[in-house]
Amino acid sequence: MTDTRSPTGVASAARDQRLDVAIVGGGLAGLYALHRMRGLGMTARVFEAGNGVGGTWFWNRYPGARCDIESLEYSYAFADDLQQEWTWPERYATQPQILAYINHVAERFDLMRDVQLDTRITSAEFDRGSDLWTVRSNRGDVVSARFCVMATGNLSTPRVPDFKGLETFRGKWYHSGMWPTQGVDFTGQRVGVIGTGSSGIQMIPLIARQAKHLHVFQRTANFSLPAQNRPMEAEREAAYKANYPDRRAEARGSGFGVSGYPLPTQSALEVTAEERRRKYEELWQRGGSIGFLSCYNDFLVDEDANATAAEFVREKIRGIVRDPAVAELLAPSDHPIGTKRLCLDTGYYETYNRDNVTLVDVRSAPIEAITERGVRTAEREYDLDAIAFATGFDAMTGALREIDIRVAGGEALAEVWAAGPRTYLGLSVAGFPNLFLITGPGSPGVKSQMILSIEQHVDWIAGLLDHARGHAITRIEADAEAQDRWVAHVNEVADSTLYPVANSWYVGANIPGKPRVFMPYVAGVGVYRAKCDEVAASGYRGFHLTGTQD
Ligand code: NAP
């Protein structure tokens, strides 16, 4: 075995390594997995494609990128001294602040010596004879590992639509998820932003302030709520820190993994229109999305209940945007509110009152091509110096499908998932032993405070690996029938809600040809955790645990 450890995390010429656990991805999930596996006394190593750790927060450096969950919640809970000592300057941290936090964690827990940067894992093959994975990288690494943890992220495969002529564009173009490290100065430029999801909605107000003129190309209007971001109030921070263990415990049992939002018990239709309005106004002023998502128990299951909130937000848009035609285009009407990821903004709708901003409806006149000069829609051509694609990601399955993951002689995971992803608990895939997914499809991950869900998965996997070690188990494999039952349950829960109605990345609708399958588990993180804990307590029901075949 070659010792490839370096104190800087700079990749050395690693060739043959033997590990207990290979971890793919150096974001929040991969780093915590490394810390946990080390704590079990296992040899583990993170392989990260970027030249720094941080995952999402390393890549998404577009103007305005910031978290849409309050940072006192969106932070690791595993180390009390960390959460007590770290200070968040604003209610919602910016991308640089979160990246600084992640780098601090990496340093504080001495993680970088087992992180190999600039290394993209290209394949992973499991051998049923030895119960080992062989993981290979684009740099020639060949890693033999008992277990493989895919901490590859859910929104880590950026997607630029297949527009004709992009290569002919004379200006510069960028994607929100591959933003240049040094930033981009749009001063004096004619800029086009394509896409009005969370990324577009965050970058548009900031680009508008720099650009000479900004054209926003919108295909579908999204609901956006005010973040009401502000500097961190000392009393709020102190109150959190005095109570952190209780706050975290409450979050773990909640719907979305955030404390302060008890599960709702009242129907929106039980109360008067006046009372509902008061409530929505209060939530609007408070800021954030979780309040809306948790305000009434039928918000996400009953169209009439949902419509009351949707109309409230549309009225707000009409009240903010001065041009009624623009306001109407910005007012979403094709999906129930909350069934696509709710966006949070700072001054998004107000931006359309600026003279240097034009909203272009590419639903009625679609983009036909990118030209030398800019963007050509079915109606006309727009001259641009720069284009920012905020067109999203091949979500949830993209990063996994890009790696050739297979059992020797068998089909690749990408082929097995051709009709949509199937997992047991969103953690494991039948037919792929010793492989673990962090916040994979079939788990609440993307529908929750991600760090909480990451910690839950990593802790649960750590418990299982510890159990395996104590019982001389070398192979852990999800049972195909247990997986079928789990997939049926995930679908049943989704179908009892309004979620599947929307054409969102939750169903892969943004990727032409991707099978339409609702991927997250939406019964809530508390319910999910209880199910995972029951599985563990039962001796890992639904898994085949066996010793080596040798
Ligand atoms: P997204 O939500 O998938 O939005 C992509 C946008 O691009 C949509 O408006 C989409 O329109 C548009 N688009 C795609 N292809 C197009 C085409 N051919 N022509 C015209 N428009 C096209 O992607 P995102 O904004 O990057 O957000 C993805 C997720 O990342 C979010 O939902 C959120 O979970 C996460 N995120 C979080 C934060 C945060 O925490 N603050 C910030 C950014 C992102 P259609 O709707 O018509 O497809």
Side-chain angles (χ1 to χ4, degrees):
M1 167 176 149
T2 316
D3 185 0
T4 57
R5 294 184 302 179
S6 109
T8 57
V10 173
S12 52
R15 292 287 145 177
D16 301 308
Q17 304 178 50
R18 172 75 175 88
L19 299 169
D20 294 321
V21 189
I23 300 166
V24 186
L28 288 153
L31 292 178
Y32 181 53
L34 172 59
H35 178 65
R36 237 8 210 100
M37 297 308 143
R38 267 197 199 158
L40 291 176
M42 294 185 155
T43 54
R45 192 165 173 82
V46 166
F47 299 90
E48 164 57 47
N51 66 5
V53 292
T56 285
W57 300 107
F58 176 84
W59 296 104
N60 287 262
R61 295 167 187 257
Y62 59 85
R66 76 167 72 230
C67 192
D68 61 3
I69 303 273
E70 287 189 56
S71 296
L72 286 166
E73 296 281 334
Y74 187 86
S75 44
Y76 286 119
F78 71 85
D80 196 48
D81 52 350
L82 171 67
Q83 64 188 7
Q84 292 298 335
E85 286 165 30
W86 189 260
T87 303
W88 294 105
E90 293 175 77
R91 190 175 180 194
Y92 298 93
T94 61
Q95 174 271 330
Q97 290 162 358
I98 300 172
L99 191 58
Y101 168 76
I102 297 171
N103 280 307
H104 167 80
V105 171
E107 194 181 319
R108 185 176 183 122
F109 296 96
D110 188 23
L111 300 178
M112 293 310 286
R113 65 186 161 85
D114 285 317
V115 175
Q116 187 173 314
L117 301 174
D118 293 316
T119 305
R120 185 172 285 282
I121 297 303
T122 51
S123 71
E125 187 177 274
F126 186 76
D127 171 43
R128 284 191 183 270
S130 59
D131 287 345
L132 292 170
W133 282 99
T134 300
V135 177
R136 291 188 160 80
S137 80
N138 62 343
R139 305 168 49 98
D141 298 281
V142 181
V143 181
S144 172
R146 175 72 72 210
F147 301 105
C148 190
V149 172
M150 292 295 175
T152 40
N154 284 293
L155 294 156
S156 48
T157 312
R159 176 182 169 269
V160 174
D162 201 8
F163 290 126
K164 218 168 46 186
L166 180 59
E167 68 291 348
T168 66
F169 181 51
R170 281 205 236 111
K172 294 227 164 93
W173 65 266
Y174 311 92
H175 186 283
S176 61
M178 300 182 287
W179 206 262
T181 318
Q182 68 281 12
V184 180
D185 183 2
F186 291 111
T187 305
Q189 295 192 15
R190 299 162 302 171
V191 184
V193 171
I194 303 180
T196 51
S198 299
S199 305
I201 282 175
Q202 286 188 331
M203 71 169 76
I204 285 164
L206 286 156
I207 296 180
R209 283 194 229 151
Q210 272 193 347
K212 181 168 162 214
H213 198 94
L214 171 63
H215 281 95
V216 176
F217 297 88
Q218 173 188 274
R219 188 165 65 183
T220 312
N222 258 308
F223 288 99
S224 186
L225 303 171
Q228 309 288 16
N229 186 41
R230 53 180 171 264
M232 180 65 68
E233 301 97 330
E235 320 78 66
R236 184 169 171 74
E237 185 181 5
Y240 248 87
K241 290 186 173 176
N243 232 348
Y244 243 139
D246 291 346
R247 280 274 182 182
R248 299 297 195 183
E250 186 191 331
R252 288 185 191 111
S254 70
F256 296 98
V258 178
S259 72
Y261 300 96
L263 293 175
T265 51
Q266 198 174 37
S267 156
L269 304 175
E270 262 171 43
V271 300
T272 63
E274 190 93 331
E275 193 178 332
R276 266 194 316 259
R277 231 199 123 67
R278 245 196 328 270
K279 173 109 170 179
Y280 295 148
E281 184 62 38
E282 186 189 308
L283 292 167
W284 182 272
Q285 297 307 334
R286 178 175 171 183
S289 59
I290 310 294
F292 270 88
L293 294 171
S294 337
C295 62
Y296 293 115
N297 62 10
D298 45 4
F299 183 90
L300 289 164
V301 297
D302 183 288
E303 280 185 42
D304 294 335
N306 183 284
T308 62
E311 190 48 29
F312 172 86
V313 175
R314 284 192 288 263
E315 278 173 28
K316 284 284 187 193
I317 298 168
R318 292 179 194 121
I320 298 169
V321 180
R322 285 200 287 269
D323 180 332
V326 175
E328 235 20 71
L329 272 180
L330 288 168
S333 56
D334 77 321
H335 63 281
I337 183 169
T339 55
K340 282 178 144 186
R341 171 82 173 208
L342 268 173
C343 303
L344 282 201
D345 72 272
T346 300
Y348 175 64
Y349 293 115
E350 289 82 348
T351 299
Y352 293 92
N353 292 333
R354 295 175 66 104
D355 292 339
N356 71 332
V357 176
T358 307
L359 182 65
V360 181
D361 175 19
V362 295
R363 167 76 57 197
S364 60
I367 296 174
E368 288 184 337
I370 307 293
T371 65
E372 275 182 31
R373 289 165 45 195
V375 170
R376 195 181 71 228
T377 70
E379 236 163 43
R380 56 162 277 204
E381 188 167 10
Y382 296 84
D383 287 349
L384 302 169
D385 302 308
I387 301 173
F389 290 98
T391 44
F393 301 83
D394 185 352
M396 303 194 74
T397 54
L400 290 167
R401 290 191 313 174
E402 282 190 351
I403 303 171
D404 182 3
I405 305 169
R406 65 178 75 226
V407 171
E411 275 186 315
L413 183 66
E415 291 154 8
V416 173
W417 280 4
R422 297 179 73 77
T423 68
Y424 180 41
L425 300 173
L427 274 162
S428 176
V429 185
F432 292 82
N434 295 5
L435 180 80
F436 297 101
L437 317 179
I438 308 293
T439 65
S443 79
V446 295
K447 289 304 305 160
S448 71
Q449 197 276 78
M450 281 302 289
I451 305 182
L452 175 139
S453 287
I454 284 168
E455 287 184 327
Q456 187 248 334
H457 266 187
V458 171
D459 289 342
W460 192 92
I461 292 164
L464 173 51
L465 298 195
D466 199 29
H467 172 86
R469 190 172 50 180
H471 294 78
I473 289 158
T474 55
R475 187 187 298 172
I476 300 168
E477 184 164 9
D479 174 69
E481 281 178 21
Q483 175 170 286
D484 289 346
R485 282 194 296 275
W486 181 252
V487 171
H489 174 61
V490 170
N491 289 334
E492 193 187 348
V493 173
D495 290 341
S496 69
T497 72
L498 298 170
Y499 280 114
V501 176
N503 289 322
S504 63
W505 57 259
Y506 299 142
V507 295
N510 62 324
I511 303 294
K514 192 164 173 172
R516 191 184 175 97
V517 174
F518 187 80
M519 296 182 275
Y521 178 55
V522 287
V525 301
V527 171
Y528 174 74
R529 176 182 295 266
K531 286 187 186 296
C532 291
D533 290 350
E534 270 167 38
V535 168
S538 70
Y540 297 98
R541 191 179 55 234
F543 286 93
H544 298 288
L545 308 180
T546 49
T548 185
Q549 307 296 296
D550 286 339

